[in-house]
Amino acid sequence: MNSLWPIVNRLPLSPAMSSLAIGTTSIIGKIVTNLVTRGCVQVMGRDQIAKLYNPHRKKRPTISLGNHESVVDEPLVWALVLSLSQVYGDPEFHRYTLTAQEICFSNLFNSLFFSLCRGIAVQRGCGLYQPGVDRAIELCRDNHWIHIFPEGRVVQEDRMASFKWGTARIIAESTIVDPAQSRVISTPDIFGVYLRGLRRIAPLNQPFRFLENFGKPIEIAFGGNFDVGDLILKHVKKYPDGIIARRTVPREDHSIPWFDSVTQVLDKEDKEDKEKASSLFTPLSVSAPHPTWQYHRVSEEERELYAAITAQLERRMALLEEECLHNKFSGD
């Protein structure tokens, strides 16, 4: 199976084309979903949406985290809560989202479509250091909005699966701290999106079962303030000369700290490991089986921070899930 994302990602796709693709997909998705649910869409925390389209939002990166109930979560969740002026509005405010490379970028049509819809290809099971994760960090550092499914797969069970550490890496390397002044200079605005009901519309491996669920509601809960900046600052103070400090503390000339991209990581590996990595990072090949060998040997220091961030995000999402299960919703 070949992935065309490395090529399509470099094409000069215009923002207007992106707005058209996102807007048209959103309208179709909203019409179909309203037919299936008979217009019964319930939303909690709608004020979070207004913040996404506030001009002040562009002063810092935004990361939204959502549970992954079905293969149509993206773009349906945004189609159901955004207005026409928002989906067809300024492309700078549109979200990017991490997508499965082997599914969404498997042929030319899919690659063009998902690129226009601001998809970022990630090869599942291939570690924290890969081009898609690097791209997400770059976009966050440019104050864009990234939507992530931290479970990394569709989960149609009653409880969310454990989160992947790639989310923690994106958040950590999008944060800038000043340990000398004990302050967080910049950190992403992180909020959660909990969905319930979409798995009834698109059950895995049962394409016609949605016929049993006509008229049943979809519930969408938004929850803000998933800030982990203090956690990162505490970690940098503990390891002032560590890897995370190098990526999050500005240099003496106040320039932005650099992050370890795939290329930078491979440059540090010995020749034998470079050859292994190169065979796995061939731009148009994702056919290699998921390796037990990691692209980058994640240090114990990184493990400590990524595990702490992940645990905190899981707790916050669990609280949002409980709110969704026990609170009343406002109809859409």
Side-chain angles (χ1 to χ4, degrees), residues 222-240:
F222 294 91
N225 195 24
F226 282 24
D227 185 22
V228 295
D230 290 341
L231 196 63
I232 297 169
L233 177 61
K234 181 180 178 181
H235 181 88
V236 170
K237 285 184 173 181
K238 182 177 178 181
Y239 299 99

Side-chain angles (χ1 to χ4, degrees), residues 247-304:
R247 302 173 189 170
T248 59
V249 179
R251 299 168 180 168
E252 292 183 1
D253 61 0
H254 304 293
S255 61
I256 190 169
W258 58 276
F259 69 90
D260 283 337
S261 68
V262 168
T263 302
Q264 290 162 339
V265 168
L266 297 187
D267 284 344
K268 298 173 189 175
E269 305 290 350
D270 61 34
K271 183 176 180 181
E272 180 182 356
D273 284 349
K274 274 187 183 180
E275 290 173 355
K276 292 179 181 178
S278 296
S279 67
L280 296 169
F281 269 130
T282 302
L284 297 181
S285 174
V286 294
S287 58
H290 291 169
T292 55
W293 177 85
Q294 297 267 335
Y295 299 137
H296 170 62
R297 298 182 183 87
V298 180
S299 67
E300 289 302 316
E301 179 206 339
E302 290 175 282
R303 289 175 181 273
E304 180 180 328

Side-chain angles (χ1 to χ4, degrees), residues 84-229:
L84 283 178
S85 62
Q86 290 169 332
V87 296
Y88 280 115
D90 187 347
E92 284 299 306
F93 287 92
H94 290 332
R95 61 92 190 96
Y96 288 85
T97 186
L98 302 187
T99 58
Q101 178 171 302
E102 69 275 14
I103 297 172
C104 300
F105 292 84
S106 57
N107 58 54
L108 181 59
F109 176 80
N110 285 351
S111 299
L112 286 171
F113 175 75
F114 284 102
S115 291
L116 284 171
C117 290
R118 297 204 162 188
I120 303 170
V122 174
Q123 190 176 351
R124 293 182 289 187
C126 289
L128 308 180
Y129 288 87
Q130 52 176 298
V133 177
D134 288 351
R135 177 63 175 152
I137 295 170
E138 291 172 353
L139 290 166
C140 278
R141 290 190 165 206
D142 286 336
N143 294 336
H144 287 285
W145 167 21
I146 308 288
H147 183 66
I148 302 173
F149 296 109
E151 296 164 292
R153 60 186 176 90
V154 174
V155 178
Q156 296 194 333
E157 300 169 4
D158 292 334
R159 293 292 176 181
M160 289 179 287
S162 58
F163 290 1
K164 304 299 182 184
W165 281 5
T167 303
R169 185 196 164 208
I170 293 170
I171 293 171
E173 298 195 28
S174 303
T175 300
I176 301 175
V177 300
D178 182 357
Q181 300 293 326
S182 295
R183 69 188 183 101
V184 178
I185 298 174
S186 174
T187 188
D189 181 12
I190 308 168
F191 69 94
V193 185
Y194 186 80
L195 312 174
R196 190 170 65 166
L198 281 174
R199 61 181 172 182
R200 293 194 291 260
I201 293 177
L204 291 175
N205 305 318
Q206 302 178 64
F208 297 104
R209 191 175 175 184
F210 78 93
L211 295 171
E212 305 171 9
N213 298 303
F214 268 106
K216 293 186 179 179
I218 290 175
E219 298 166 351
I220 307 173
F222 294 91
N225 195 24
F226 282 24
D227 185 22
V228 295

